Amino acid sequence: MVNWARMYDCHGDVDRVPELLARVEREDDAGAWDELGYRLVLERDVVFPASFAALPRLVRLASRSARARGLAGAILRCAAGGHGCDDLLAGCADAIAEFRELLDQHLRSRPGDYFTTFLSLLAAEEQYHWSAVLGDFSDDFYQVTCPHCAVEVTIAIGDHGRYSAIRDWHLGDVDRRGLRPASPESLSGIGRRMHETALRDGEAVLADGIAHLFGHAECPCCASVFSIADEYASAHRPVM
């Protein structure tokens, strides 16, 4: 049982969230959903004890409610932050496991909210880094540091091309070098998991972007070749 007297939301209230949850459990109340959203996830970035206390109830609604699925996913995508609620998050393990299965099934239906669901699934699998930074590869740029000469390299993966370059304030991306995408058989770990899921669901652009992100780039300055994903993750992975 949840002791709601200790589960404050972004306003410091301890009684409003359970009341709102009861309302959306009775009917699809748009006003209640909107209020739950801003009470449980502040600025799409910060969560609170009430957020994790509400998570199991949101997961129970998620199979029939897009609002519940979206809010539960938003909470999980913030789970790597400094919320001080690690014990509450750990207590949601069964609900998160259930949510993982639900999200994966939803992806198989090729929904309109595919990419957001994809990010939520990454968070449910504790891949918080990639859940936070992965783009849809329509216009994505990743800044990495060359591990050999320490120059800052811009990685472009999207409609503007797939290349490494040095970004110049006046000239834009100069000295471009084409990226070297990973072959499907060379992928491993989360890169392989993401790529296989995107391919399974017919998301060709996403799969191709992931292959490039988990491939290699040539440094325009020293011509050394390095793993894009490894360098980006090591510099930007959140502190848990």
Side-chain angles (χ1 to χ4, degrees):
M1 295 293 292
V2 175
N3 180 4
W4 282 105
R6 302 177 60 188
M7 302 297 135
Y8 61 88
D9 60 25
C10 77
H11 293 296
D13 296 332
V14 297
D15 54 355
R16 187 60 175 160
V17 167
E19 178 184 332
L20 292 167
L21 286 170
R23 282 170 57 182
V24 298
E25 287 168 343
R26 288 193 301 269
E27 59 181 331
D28 189 22
D29 186 321
W33 278 120
D34 288 342
E35 188 175 345
L36 273 172
Y38 70 71
R39 283 182 176 273
L40 297 181
V41 185
L42 181 62
E43 300 293 336
R44 300 183 180 182
D45 190 46
V46 183
V47 286
F48 307 86
S51 309
F52 296 112
L55 189 59
R57 292 171 70 173
L58 293 172
V59 170
R60 286 196 292 271
L61 292 171
S63 62
R64 56 186 173 87
S65 170
R67 298 288 292 263
R69 186 175 62 248
L71 184 51
I75 291 168
L76 280 181
R77 292 197 299 274
C78 297
H83 45 66
C85 302
D86 291 345
D87 55 336
L88 293 174
L89 177 60
C92 294
D94 290 343
I96 293 171
E98 179 183 344
F99 194 46
R100 281 198 301 269
E101 294 300 319
L102 185 152
L103 291 171
D104 192 56
Q105 287 300 316
H106 187 59
L107 288 177
R108 292 171 186 267
S109 72
R110 303 185 182 184
D113 62 346
Y114 185 93
F115 186 64
T116 300
T117 303
F118 190 87
L119 297 181
S120 295
L121 179 59
L122 290 177
E125 294 178 344
E126 298 185 1
Q127 295 294 333
Y128 300 116
H129 166 69
W130 292 117
S131 176
V133 304
L134 190 70
D136 62 2
F137 301 112
S138 59
D139 186 23
D140 288 11
F141 293 91
Y142 299 86
Q143 300 298 324
V144 300
T145 300
C146 173
H148 302 282
C149 72
V151 72
E152 186 173 90
V153 179
T154 294
I155 305 294
I157 309 175
D159 294 342
H160 293 286
R162 289 158 169 76
Y163 59 81
S164 60
I166 301 300
R167 178 153 291 179
D168 183 274
W169 181 260
H170 300 288
L171 300 177
D173 292 343
V174 298
D175 200 1
R176 300 184 182 189
R177 313 287 177 95
L179 300 182
R180 306 176 187 185
S183 62
E185 58 272 14
S186 70
L187 288 167
S188 61
I190 188 56
R192 186 182 190 92
R193 164 80 169 126
M194 287 196 288
H195 188 262
E196 288 180 345
T197 300
L199 277 183
R200 179 198 71 188
D201 299 333
E203 296 288 330
V205 173
L206 182 59
D208 181 72
I210 291 166
H212 280 81
L213 181 60
F214 282 81
H216 290 80
E218 180 180 343
C219 174
C221 185
C222 70
S224 63
V225 176
F226 58 86
S227 166
I228 302 166
D230 286 352
E231 295 307 316
Y232 190 80
S234 66
H236 296 88
R237 185 176 288 114
V239 177
M240 296 295 292

